[in-house]
Amino acid sequence: MSNMAAPDCVFYRTLCRSRQNKWSSPAVCREVLYVVELQRYSRDQGSSVYFPQAVLNGDDLYDATLTDGHCRLRVTLDPGLNPLVERYVLRSGSTLCGAAFAPAMTAQLPACPTAPADGDSYKLLSAEVSDGAPGEDGGLRSFNVDSLSWFGSSGSAGALVPLRANRSVFLPLWNNVDYSGEAWREAPPAEEEEEEEEEEDRVQRHAVTVSELRDSFLIGRRGVARGVVHHQLIVRIINKSHLMYYGRRDLNCECPYKAVLEVCDRTGSVCVVLWNSVCLGWYRRLKPGDILNLRRYRVKGRFQAQLDDIEISVNSRNPAALISVLPESSPFPQHIPPAAFYRFCNSKELLDRPHGVVCDVIGLLTFSGRPERIRNDGRGAELLEYHWLRLEDGSSNQPIMVKLFSTSQPDAHHKLHPLSVVVCTRLKLIRAADGCDLAFYLTNTTYTQVYCTGMRHHSEMSYRKLRPVRQFLQWLRSQDDQEVLRRALIGGFFIYPSPPVSLELYMKDRRGVPGFLRGAELQRELERLRYRERQTFCIQAAVTMVMYSRRGEEKHCLCWTDRASSLCSSPCFRNSSPFPSSTPVTTRSARSPPSSSSPSLSPTSLGSTSTPADPRSGRKSRKRRFTETLPRKRRPFVTLQSEQNKSVILFEASMEFLESPNADEDKEEDEDGDTSSFLTGPLPLEQSDITLETLPLRYDHAHKEEQAVAIAMGGALTGRFDSVLDEYYTLRLRALSDGVLVDALFLPLSCSSPPPLLPYANTWTSILCHGAFCPHTPPPSPADLIGMATQLANQRLVCVLEACHLGGATTEIVLSRAFPLNH
């Protein structure tokens, strides 16, 4: 920033003054600052030097770009602030007050474009975070951030790199599999193309095959496979892995990435490993089906191979490998590798396939779930991002369910809208332990790739000519847009396959170890959840309250309470700040502050539900007629969008397979019946509404991009999109171990698994065991169901809870199953 503009900058007044005082104490900025961007990277061996008094528990560090409206400043967050980012309290668009800064060394050399010109670099020690709902930009909207200069530098900042570790790229905020930043190029490096053209004629006659490389290396004789191989190897990519990040705190590597390509020629197949910065230049450029010309590579023994085998190592130095992509007509005929092979299975064929088989699928996307994260191997430190897809292909009534994890294709994943034609390759079939034919789904392997309409994928891939694909396209063209739109959903709470319907089967599914938690232990586990992290918990509990609500009308609801339980003196814990008092930050939320009496466990914002009126409070309990919030007659799921042509959307989706230039072608009224335990009417104002993230939404094709952004990680839903479910129940559970009260959502109208073959009664016991109303009979009215809630009095239950942290102080808790404990 120029010296003339410096006095207008808050950073200049705050940081320069402290520098003149030789940093006797942290510099505290009393004015408002805004978070422009947060960037994550893994620390290295030297990162602890920059935080001598901090306890580095995790592997991640965060750099933040801040602005006051006049200039920008890059700082590193003190590791004590990391939980704020991990729980999505501190995010892009956040407003900071009372930010405290301290000087710090930088890991980048002075010659680095982003190194401060004056040699100073800073870290953020603490701040008060104040902002609105997730996804809002707050005061940032009034600034043209890109036009602001950088504090301490008069020139261009250049490419941003991590400040406190010797890394050249940043990680995505929410997973380690996708790429992040402009350093990942789609076009190949220009200098490699030029050098390849110069030497093409000289080496064209010096080619080597896969079998020659393997034989030379494994036999052990001196030959082409020893040292650096200059002979060209012409192969076709058969499979492409996701990116593998191997950065660790004890490893100093600027770009610790690798990717594996399965390639073949006419003599055999082999794995090619792209290392480090080669991934930056080539990973996005390469795709299955491409013909590669490789030179200056090394042949090594394959890592962790069961049999003696080789792999080809492609690196950016010692030596710098040469890579080029050749057109189909470029190589000599004897060098043309065989075409890529696909194993497409339709939904009917999958019914007979065994567990673990690997296959490819194509289908019409009719449900795209919200992104969530789970721990690697259950309790690992790494979080894996995934979402559910439901595909239809017309070969059977059974949809194809896909649990799709990140595949290092973030752009493609963001385009997975309903009514898209989706191809997923190299998926693995997972069958339920009970062997149920209908309870199966597909999930990733190392080489899974996804292709969808809107990205021009299909016109470039060779699978478009295959018979299974052509048969699917024929079925697709017979479908009606409006008919598909009626069942197209996006986002919301989703569980698949559904848990067992009996305690015996559930214990068998969990291998006899249900892992029951005490109420206080459950509270601690919920406070450890990170943003969009999903976990399943089990507690033994009794139901003390059942409440029926409709979204938007929560102040008027039906409620039953167990009088005997309401007389107990057990505290109702309310969810307070999830951070310990020692964290050097204070947060201020736009939400109403929770009660200061005691912490509470609650679902989403619905967790602060207040206890209904107690008969002892002097307020008389009387019989009232509930009319305004009872549900109307169940309506079919419809969309408001109209299309003149009944199949315009699906027709356009199918046309992508032909675009390649090389292609060949009523109101109810009920009275409560028990004035002693059945209350109706408005609840106290402390009750909160169910979050929109919990409810599946009707797909809005006219606003598909906006809807997809709102559902994605870091997105924020608004009320402009129609939800499928308006009605829900809240059950207050009292842990039998220590009396802790937990409010959990119960969604009996939402069912994600195939309906059971045998009908069951719509009693509370059966409904809780199945997690839904019986689909073979009409569901009971809310008034009838609340009236039957006395069945739950004095019942000891094993409760299965699905918890997902939705950001900030909001944790969604859904009761998926509750089994009676029979003695």
Side-chain angles (χ1 to χ4, degrees):
M1 194 181 77
S2 63
N3 293 332
M4 293 181 61
D8 297 328
C9 180
V10 170
F11 302 122
Y12 178 84
R13 296 195 298 269
T14 302
L15 302 177
C16 290
R17 185 185 306 116
S18 296
R19 184 167 54 187
Q20 294 171 359
N21 296 332
K22 298 183 179 180
W23 293 96
S24 57
S25 61
V28 179
C29 179
R30 303 300 179 185
E31 301 183 51
V32 174
L33 301 175
Y34 302 98
V35 180
V36 177
E37 186 179 19
L38 288 166
Q39 296 171 304
R40 180 175 74 100
Y41 53 96
S42 62
R43 59 191 179 98
D44 59 14
Q45 290 177 320
S47 296
S48 58
V49 175
Y50 310 115
F51 308 97
Q53 297 178 351
V55 178
L56 300 179
N57 293 323
D59 291 334
D60 293 337
L61 293 174
Y62 295 90
D63 287 346
T65 301
L66 310 178
T67 185
D68 63 341
H70 292 83
C71 60
R72 290 176 287 176
L73 172 69
R74 293 188 68 217
V75 298
T76 303
L77 300 186
D78 185 276
L81 303 183
N82 286 8
L84 295 179
V85 182
E86 295 163 352
R87 291 180 65 88
Y88 205 48
V89 175
L90 180 62
R91 53 185 178 263
S92 297
S94 292
T95 303
L96 303 183
C97 300
F101 300 93
M105 298 182 295
T106 177
Q108 305 301 331
L109 297 175
C112 178
T114 57
D118 54 7
D120 285 345
S121 184
Y122 306 95
K123 57 186 177 183
L124 180 66
L125 299 180
S126 64
E128 183 178 343
V129 182
S130 174
D131 50 17
E136 296 181 356
D137 291 334
L140 278 180
R141 294 180 179 177
S142 59
F143 305 130
N144 183 3
V145 176
D146 293 336
S147 66
L148 299 178
S149 57
W150 294 91
F151 171 72
S153 176
S154 58
S156 174
L160 299 182
V161 293
L163 292 175
R164 311 288 178 240
N166 187 27
R167 309 291 190 202
S168 60
V169 290
F170 293 98
L171 291 167
L173 279 179
W174 309 120
N175 68 68
N176 288 351
V177 177
D178 291 335
Y179 52 80
S180 177
E182 298 179 356
W184 297 86
R185 299 186 293 266
E186 280 192 281
E191 62 274 9
E192 292 193 15
E193 284 188 323
E194 295 174 0
E195 190 172 356
E196 176 67 18
E197 292 175 359
E198 294 175 357
E199 301 188 14
E200 183 174 358
D201 294 337
R202 182 174 61 85
V203 300
Q204 184 70 43
R205 63 183 182 274
H206 298 292
V208 67
T209 66
V210 170
S211 63
E212 289 173 343
L213 289 177
R214 179 177 286 110
D215 292 343
S216 175
F217 183 87
L218 295 181
I219 294 175
R221 58 183 173 84
R222 299 183 63 86
V224 295
R226 293 299 166 184
V228 178
V229 181
H230 293 273
H231 294 72
Q232 70 173 359
L233 176 66
I234 299 177
V235 289
R236 189 187 300 273
I237 301 176
I238 302 300
N239 290 313
K240 173 185 174 182
S241 78
H242 61 75
L243 286 170
M244 304 175 192
Y245 185 77
Y246 62 91
R248 301 189 306 270
R249 68 185 69 176
D250 59 346
L251 180 66
N252 286 334
C253 180
E254 290 188 2
C255 187
Y257 278 98
K258 78 170 185 177
V260 181
L261 307 175
E262 284 190 349
V263 302
C264 73
D265 63 8
R266 294 188 177 276
T267 67
S269 61
V270 70
C271 285
V272 173
V273 183
L274 309 181
W275 289 99
N276 306 327
S277 59
V278 174
C279 295
L280 293 180
W282 283 98
Y283 181 81
R284 295 185 64 186
R285 170 66 178 85
L286 303 176
K287 65 181 185 299
D290 286 347
I291 299 178
L292 292 184
N293 185 359
L294 301 177
R295 288 187 292 114
R296 295 185 189 173
Y297 50 86
R298 292 182 182 272
V299 179
K300 299 180 179 180
R302 187 172 181 182
F303 180 65
Q304 292 182 339
Q306 295 180 353
L307 301 175
D308 290 339
D309 202 356
I310 65 169
E311 67 181 26
I312 296 174
S313 180
V314 178
N315 217 319
S316 58
R317 57 186 180 183
N318 299 327
L322 291 180
I323 308 174
S324 62
V325 178
L326 304 178
E328 287 285 340
S329 59
S330 178
F332 292 125
Q334 66 271 22
H335 292 157
I336 297 178
F341 180 74
Y342 294 93
R343 305 179 184 89
F344 277 97
C345 291
N346 58 35
S347 58
K348 183 178 180 180
E349 293 168 339
L350 287 173
L351 294 174
D352 301 324
R353 292 293 190 269
H355 172 82
V357 70
V358 176
C359 63
D360 311 315
V361 295
I362 182 172
L364 176 64
L365 184 60
T366 57
F367 170 71
S368 180
R370 72 186 182 194
E372 296 177 344
R373 301 192 293 168
I374 57 175
R375 296 279 174 180
N376 189 10
D377 298 327
R379 302 297 297 178
E382 182 183 359
L383 287 166
L384 305 178
E385 183 180 340
Y386 73 95
H387 61 158
W388 282 98
L389 306 178
R390 183 179 69 203
L391 304 178
E392 300 178 9
D393 64 3
S395 64
S396 73
N397 294 327
Q398 175 73 13
I400 301 173
M401 302 303 302
V402 181
K403 188 177 186 180
L404 186 65
F405 289 85
S406 299
T407 59
S408 302
Q409 298 171 284
D411 295 338
H413 282 245
H414 293 159
K415 291 289 186 179
L416 291 175
H417 313 306
L419 273 72
S420 298
V421 175
V422 177
V423 172
C424 295
T425 62
R426 304 306 184 259
L427 293 173
K428 179 173 61 176
L429 180 64
I430 304 297
R431 290 202 173 274
D434 57 6
C436 177
D437 291 339
L438 299 180
F440 69 87
Y441 64 92
L442 300 167
T443 192
N444 295 51
T445 62
T446 302
Y447 298 101
T448 296
Q449 297 281 282
V450 60
Y451 310 99
C452 65
T453 50
M455 300 288 291
R456 301 190 63 86
H457 286 154
H458 301 311
S459 62
E460 300 175 353
M461 303 301 292
S462 61
Y463 57 66
R464 71 184 188 278
K465 303 178 182 179
L466 301 179
R467 179 182 295 274
V469 175
R470 293 187 179 275
Q471 290 176 341
F472 166 78
L473 293 176
Q474 184 178 4
W475 168 83
L476 180 69
R477 291 170 186 143
S478 69
Q479 300 303 297
D480 176 70
D481 281 356
Q482 296 301 318
E483 187 65 29
V484 178
L485 281 169
R486 290 189 183 96
R487 60 181 186 270
L489 305 176
I490 186 170
F493 170 81
F494 186 79
I495 181 172
Y496 190 91
S498 292
V501 297
S502 70
L503 181 58
E504 180 183 2
L505 292 176
Y506 180 76
M507 295 284 286
K508 181 180 179 181
D509 189 55
R510 306 266 297 198
R511 298 181 180 179
V513 185
F516 294 132
L517 298 179
R518 297 168 56 89
E521 293 173 336
L522 176 61
Q523 180 185 16
R524 288 193 296 269
E525 290 296 326
L526 294 178
E527 290 175 349
R528 293 191 184 107
L529 292 179
R530 298 185 179 182
Y531 178 57
R532 291 283 181 94
E533 181 182 354
R534 175 86 170 261
Q535 282 199 35
T536 302
F537 302 106
C538 292
I539 63 170
Q540 298 185 51
V543 177
T544 65
M545 182 194 76
V546 179
M547 181 169 61
Y548 163 82
S549 306
R550 295 192 64 177
R551 188 173 69 89
E553 303 175 8
E554 279 82 4
K555 293 182 180 180
H556 299 277
C557 57
L558 291 170
C559 183
W560 167 86
T561 58
D562 185 359
R563 172 170 294 184
S565 298
S566 66
L567 297 177
C568 299
S569 59
S570 301
C572 179
F573 288 95
R574 298 190 179 278
N575 205 7
S576 58
S577 172
F579 308 105
S581 58
S582 59
T583 302
V585 66
T586 58
T587 61
R588 184 174 60 201
S589 173
R591 301 179 185 270
S592 300
S595 171
S596 59
S597 56
S598 41
S600 165
L601 303 180
S602 53
T604 71
S605 8
L606 192 136
S608 38
T609 301
S610 302
T611 307
D614 195 316
R616 299 176 299 164
S617 63
R619 185 179 302 172
K620 294 184 178 180
S621 174
R622 56 182 180 177
K623 188 179 295 186
R624 298 175 57 183
R625 184 179 299 274
F626 186 88
T627 58
E628 60 273 290
T629 63
L630 282 178
R632 296 184 179 91
K633 188 175 181 180
R634 302 280 188 267
R635 300 185 298 273
F637 301 155
V638 297
T639 177
L640 299 179
Q641 182 184 352
S642 61
E643 295 282 354
Q644 293 181 356
N645 187 320
K646 68 176 185 176
S647 298
V648 171
I649 303 173
L650 302 182
F651 177 77
E652 291 178 351
S654 66
M655 286 299 293
E656 284 205 10
F657 288 81
L658 307 176
E659 289 179 356
S660 173
N662 298 322
D664 301 327
E665 45 180 31
D666 310 312
K667 292 186 181 180
E668 302 175 4
E669 293 185 358
D670 290 285
E671 291 187 2
D672 58 54
D674 185 1
T675 59
S676 63
S677 60
F678 181 29
L679 304 177
T680 63
L683 287 181
L685 295 178
E686 288 80 0
Q687 183 193 0
S688 301
D689 303 340
I690 188 173
T691 61
L692 290 175
E693 287 88 346
T694 302
L695 302 174
L697 304 178
R698 295 185 180 92
Y699 173 61
D700 186 347
H701 186 73
H703 303 91
K704 59 181 181 180
E705 299 292 344
E706 180 181 351
Q707 197 172 44
V709 170
I711 293 293
M713 299 285 288
L717 279 171
T718 61
R720 64 168 300 172
F721 300 115
D722 294 332
S723 62
V724 174
L725 297 177
D726 291 329
E727 310 164 39
Y728 60 94
Y729 293 80
T730 306
L731 274 63
R732 177 160 291 168
L733 309 175
R734 179 174 56 84
L736 300 180
S737 56
D738 50 14
V740 171
L741 298 180
V742 181
D743 286 350
L745 288 171
F746 183 56
L747 306 171
L749 290 171
S750 174
C751 185
S752 55
S753 290
L757 299 177
L758 299 177
Y760 54 88
N762 276 322
T763 63
W764 269 107
T765 299
S766 296
I767 294 171
L768 290 174
C769 286
H770 289 82
F773 295 130
C774 177
H776 302 287
T777 58
S781 69
D784 289 342
L785 194 61
I786 293 295
M788 293 188 300
T790 53
Q791 301 172 0
L792 299 174
N794 301 318
Q795 279 263 28
R796 298 164 58 90
L797 303 171
V798 172
C799 300
V800 183
L801 302 175
E802 299 291 332
C804 183
H805 183 67
L806 299 180
T810 304
T811 300
E812 170 192 87
I813 305 176
V814 177
L815 178 67
S816 62
R817 292 290 188 272
F819 307 112
L821 280 171
N822 299 321
H823 297 285

